[in-house]
């Protein structure tokens, strides 16, 4: 706090009287005198300076490198005016000291609207504007970072108690996510990097872009509204396969919007999986914890989706080869079974025929032996045995004939039944083979037709017809950033129906350089 001169005595005013106007004028204070009195009183009331806690509002960085803002105490009732407000001036000489102290803390952050801070300084009265304000000359970074961490943990506990942390992560990730919603600051480096990944992939992605501020006091509500808008699109018309919520790197306070409760709730209630790519690899926000999939950067989020499509195409190729191989194997197996059935039928027919021949031969041998036996006995008994021999011979012949007939009929029936059984088995095998082959062929046709449709959807020419362009330098180098070109460079832009040639007259980046 700068030293101040001792206050000058304040003239005492006489009691006003109508007839003594001139006297009153000589006793009245000038505005400068009154302002100086107020200034002296304020600065000497707390001679050693003080610390004060509040929330930054109405931030204004002047061209002079001075910074002006209001330090407010928010109303305990949401939506109402602040309970108290006081202006703060951070002059250039003090700003450098404050910035160095923030950087030295190890986890730098930016002072901006909505940031909770503890500052040191002294109060003064700026006479030209009649403005009572705090002259800031110090800051406690640990307080701000502690409040950010504490607020984040409080939001996570609240969402966890309501069961919202796992809601989005339980949604199934589509196998082929070609319709993608993007919530980010359009035109930013993060937006450019993601679109470059999708464009260079060669796949036919359909992108819904939702613009939202990604830092500042309005950012949480804008992000939440953009995610809600994606959900409304999903419910009413085109189904988004997946949504990316992204922001490029920044300080801890820059990413504070993604720790807000309203953002966490919007992601939890989104009807399709949400992938986050916020800040750097070391950053972690409430949005990351609520989302389906966390990625360390916006580029990584876009690459994750492209890899999902590549994986699906690889699986399709593998499945096509598997179907082709299985169909070939089934055909070979059916041929082998058919050959085995034919061989079995031949073998059983030959066996049945051989058995029949054996039975007939045995019957003939038994008949021959019986005839010889009857003839021998007839020679011994010549007289009365002749009649018996004739009768016995006829009976034996009849018996042998009946036996041979029975054996023949049995053989015929056995052979016929065997052939019928084999024929039925062969017919059943042929019918099953025909049905299985038809089904396999139809399934393969459907899969190949679906693959053809997906392949057509990935045609890069269709991407250009939807309004996307590809810009290169005259030497053919692809333009991915403003840093890739200089003023007066010649550019060639490819559109759906030809090429456009242009010259760079000005370039600007997202940070205003």
């Amino acid at each position: 706090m700068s030293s101040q001169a001792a206050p000058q005595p304040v003239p005492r005013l006489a009691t006003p009287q109508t007839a003594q106007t001139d006297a009153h004028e000589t006793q009245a204070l000038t505005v400068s005198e009154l302002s100086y009195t107020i200034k002296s009183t304020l600065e000497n009331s707390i001679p050693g300076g003080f610390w004060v806690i509040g929330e930054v509002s109405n931030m204004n960085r002047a061209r002079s490198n001075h910074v002006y803002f209001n330090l407010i105490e928010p109303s305990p009732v949401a939506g109402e005016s602040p309970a108290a407000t006081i202006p703060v001036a951070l002059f250039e000489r003090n700003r450098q000291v404050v910035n160095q102290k923030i950087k030295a803390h190890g986890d730098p952050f930016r002072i901006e609207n909505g940031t909770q801070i503890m500052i040191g300084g002294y109060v003064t009265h700026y006479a030209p504007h009649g403005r009572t304000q705090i002259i800031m000359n110090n800051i406690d970074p640990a307080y701000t970072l502690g409040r950010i961490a504490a607020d984040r943990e409080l939001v996570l506990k609240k969402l966890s108690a309501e069961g919202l942390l796992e809601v989005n992560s339980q949604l199934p990730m589509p196998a082929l996510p070609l319709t993608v919603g993007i919530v980010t600051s359009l035109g930013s480096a993060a937006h450019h990097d993601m679109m470059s990944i999708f464009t260079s992939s060669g796949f036919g992605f359909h992108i819904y872009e939702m613009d939202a501020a990604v830092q500042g006091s309005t950012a949480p509500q804008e992000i939440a509204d953009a995610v809600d808008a994606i959900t409304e699109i999903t419910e009413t018309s085109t189904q988004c396969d997946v949504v990316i919520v992204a922001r490029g790197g920044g300080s801890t306070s820059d990413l504070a919007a993604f720790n807000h409760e309203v953002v966490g709730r919007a992601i939890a209630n989104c009807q399709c999986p949400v992938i986050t790519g916020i800040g750097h690899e070391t950053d972690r926000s409430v949005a990351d914890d609520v989302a389906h999939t966390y990625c360390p950067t916006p580029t990584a989020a876009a690459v994750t989706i492209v890899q999902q499509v590549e994986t699906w195409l690889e699986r399709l190729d593998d499945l096509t080869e598997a179907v082709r191989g299985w169909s070939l194997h089934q055909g070979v197996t059916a041929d082998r079974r058919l050959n085995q059935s034919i061989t079995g039928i031949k073998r059983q027919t030959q066996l049945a025929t051989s058995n029949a021949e054996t039975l007939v031969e045995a019957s003939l041998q038994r008949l021959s032996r019986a005839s010889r036996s009857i003839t021998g006995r007839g020679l011994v008994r010549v007289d009365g045995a002749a009649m018996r021999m004739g009768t016995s011979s006829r009976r034996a012949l009849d018996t042998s004939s009946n036996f041979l007939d029975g054996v023949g009929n049995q053989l015929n029936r056995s052979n016929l039944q065997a052939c019928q059984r084999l024929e039925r088995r062969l017919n059943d095998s042929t019918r099953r083979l025909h049905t299985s082959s038809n089904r396999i062929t139809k399934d393969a046709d459907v899969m190949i037709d679906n693959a053809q449709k997906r392949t057509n959807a990935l045609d890069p020419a269709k991407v250009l017809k939807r309004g996307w362009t590809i810009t290169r330098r005259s030497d053919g180098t692809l333009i991915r950033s403003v840093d890739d070109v200089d003023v007066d460079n010649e550019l060639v832009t490819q559109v759906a129906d030809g090429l456009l040639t242009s010259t760079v007259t000005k370039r600007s980046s997202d940070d205003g350089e």
Side-chain angles (χ1 to χ4, degrees):
M1 174 174 152
S2 61
S3 60
Q4 303 292 327
Q8 298 295 321
V10 180
R12 302 183 62 182
L13 300 181
T15 304
Q17 296 181 9
T18 323
Q20 298 178 343
T21 302
D22 294 339
H24 294 167
E25 290 179 356
T26 59
Q27 296 176 351
L29 292 173
T30 66
V31 174
S32 296
E33 290 172 338
L34 179 59
S35 295
Y36 181 80
T37 300
I38 295 172
K39 174 181 172 68
S40 298
T41 302
L42 288 173
E43 292 180 354
N44 287 281
S45 62
I46 312 178
F50 53 85
W51 290 89
V52 62
I53 293 171
E55 179 181 313
V56 176
S57 175
N58 295 334
M59 172 72 71
N60 177 27
R61 291 180 170 86
R63 292 183 177 180
S64 60
N65 288 329
H66 301 327
V67 178
Y68 302 96
F69 60 89
N70 288 339
L71 194 65
I72 67 171
E73 179 181 338
S75 171
V77 180
E80 290 191 359
S81 300
T85 302
I86 188 167
V88 178
L90 178 59
F91 297 128
E92 166 65 11
R93 63 181 183 278
N94 293 329
R95 185 179 66 83
Q96 296 179 5
V97 175
V98 169
N99 287 343
Q100 288 297 327
K101 190 166 186 178
I102 292 174
K103 292 178 181 178
H105 190 269
D107 191 2
F109 60 88
R110 286 171 57 88
I111 300 176
E112 59 185 7
N113 291 334
T115 304
Q116 296 284 337
I117 57 175
M118 177 188 291
I119 63 173
Y122 61 92
V123 67
T124 187
H125 183 78
Y126 185 56
H129 292 170
R131 180 184 178 93
T132 300
Q133 61 186 0
I134 297 174
I135 305 301
M136 176 180 173
N137 57 21
N138 207 347
I139 191 170
D140 182 359
Y143 173 82
T144 299
L145 295 173
R147 282 299 304 267
I148 292 175
D151 290 345
R152 177 181 180 276
E153 291 303 317
L154 182 63
V155 170
L156 285 176
K157 288 181 180 179
K158 188 172 183 179
L159 296 178
S160 177
E162 297 179 28
L164 296 179
L165 289 183
E166 298 82 17
V167 172
N168 193 262
S169 64
Q170 293 174 352
L171 296 176
M173 178 65 72
L176 190 62
L178 288 176
T179 304
V180 182
I182 293 180
V183 175
T184 191
S185 176
L186 300 187
S188 64
H191 174 243
H192 177 269
D193 291 343
M194 289 187 292
M195 294 308 301
S196 296
I197 294 296
F198 289 128
T199 302
S200 61
S201 70
F203 301 140
F205 285 102
H206 186 74
I207 307 297
Y208 282 98
E209 297 176 311
M210 293 292 176
D211 188 25
V214 291
Q215 71 181 72
S217 58
T218 64
Q221 192 61 53
E222 288 190 33
I223 296 169
D225 290 344
V227 174
D228 291 341
I230 291 283
T231 298
E232 292 176 3
I233 291 174
T234 298
E235 292 176 346
T236 59
S237 56
T238 303
Q239 174 74 39
C240 277
D241 297 317
V242 66
V243 174
I244 296 178
V245 176
R247 184 211 191 280
S251 66
T252 300
S253 61
D254 289 340
L255 308 179
F258 297 92
N259 287 322
H260 204 282
E261 179 182 345
V262 69
V263 174
R265 290 186 180 277
I267 293 175
N269 294 325
C270 187
Q271 299 302 307
C272 49
V274 175
I275 298 177
T276 55
I278 301 168
H280 304 292
E281 294 186 2
T282 57
D283 298 319
R284 187 81 177 187
S285 66
V286 169
D288 295 323
D289 291 329
V290 179
H292 183 284
T293 302
Y294 156 75
C295 292
T297 63
T299 299
V303 169
T304 296
I305 295 178
V306 171
Q307 289 177 343
Q308 180 78 1
V309 176
E310 291 174 343
T311 299
W312 184 89
L313 291 176
E314 291 173 358
R315 289 178 179 175
L316 178 62
D317 291 340
D318 293 341
L319 183 59
T320 301
E321 288 299 320
V323 170
R324 184 180 294 111
W326 187 77
S327 300
L328 180 61
H329 173 72
Q330 289 296 104
V332 172
T333 301
D335 288 342
R336 185 173 62 252
R337 289 178 178 175
L338 180 60
N339 292 332
Q340 290 174 350
S341 297
I342 294 174
T343 301
I345 291 172
K346 290 180 178 178
R347 186 168 53 251
Q348 292 186 15
T349 301
Q350 292 173 353
L351 180 61
T353 303
S354 177
N355 291 337
E357 292 176 350
T358 301
L359 290 172
V360 171
E361 182 64 28
S363 298
L364 291 174
Q365 289 177 359
R366 286 195 298 273
L367 177 61
S368 177
R369 285 195 300 271
S371 297
R372 287 196 300 271
S373 177
I374 292 170
T375 303
R377 287 195 299 272
L379 293 173
V380 175
R381 297 180 179 180
V382 177
D383 294 333
M387 182 63 69
R388 289 194 302 274
M389 184 184 66
T391 303
S392 178
S393 295
R394 287 193 299 272
R395 187 182 299 115
L397 289 172
D398 292 339
T399 300
S400 297
S401 178
N402 293 334
F403 177 76
L404 289 174
D405 291 340
V407 169
N409 291 335
Q410 183 178 358
L411 288 174
N412 289 334
R413 287 195 302 273
S414 177
N415 192 24
L416 179 60
Q417 291 173 356
C419 290
Q420 289 175 343
R421 286 195 301 272
L422 291 173
E423 184 178 2
R424 284 194 301 271
R425 292 175 60 187
L426 178 60
N427 290 336
D428 290 342
S429 298
T430 302
R431 184 169 55 256
R432 287 196 300 270
L433 175 62
H434 180 72
T435 302
S436 176
S437 298
N438 286 341
R439 184 175 62 255
I440 293 169
T441 301
K442 290 180 179 179
D443 292 344
D445 288 341
V446 171
M447 295 181 65
I448 292 172
D449 184 58
N450 289 337
Q452 183 63 41
K453 291 179 180 178
R454 290 293 186 181
T455 301
N456 291 337
L458 303 178
D459 186 358
K462 294 183 177 180
V463 176
L464 292 176
K465 289 182 179 180
R466 287 199 299 270
W468 295 106
T469 63
I470 301 175
T471 302
R472 294 181 172 87
R473 291 209 302 259
S474 58
D475 61 0
T477 303
L478 185 65
I479 303 302
R480 301 178 182 275
S481 168
V482 295
D483 296 329
D484 293 341
V485 300
D486 295 317
V487 175
D488 294 332
N489 278 172
E490 185 178 89
L491 304 182
V492 178
T493 302
Q494 181 179 353
V495 295
D497 56 353
L499 301 175
L500 302 174
T501 302
S502 58
T503 301
V504 178
T505 60
K506 180 181 178 182
R507 69 173 194 175
S508 60
S509 60
D510 292 338
D511 56 10
E513 295 183 357

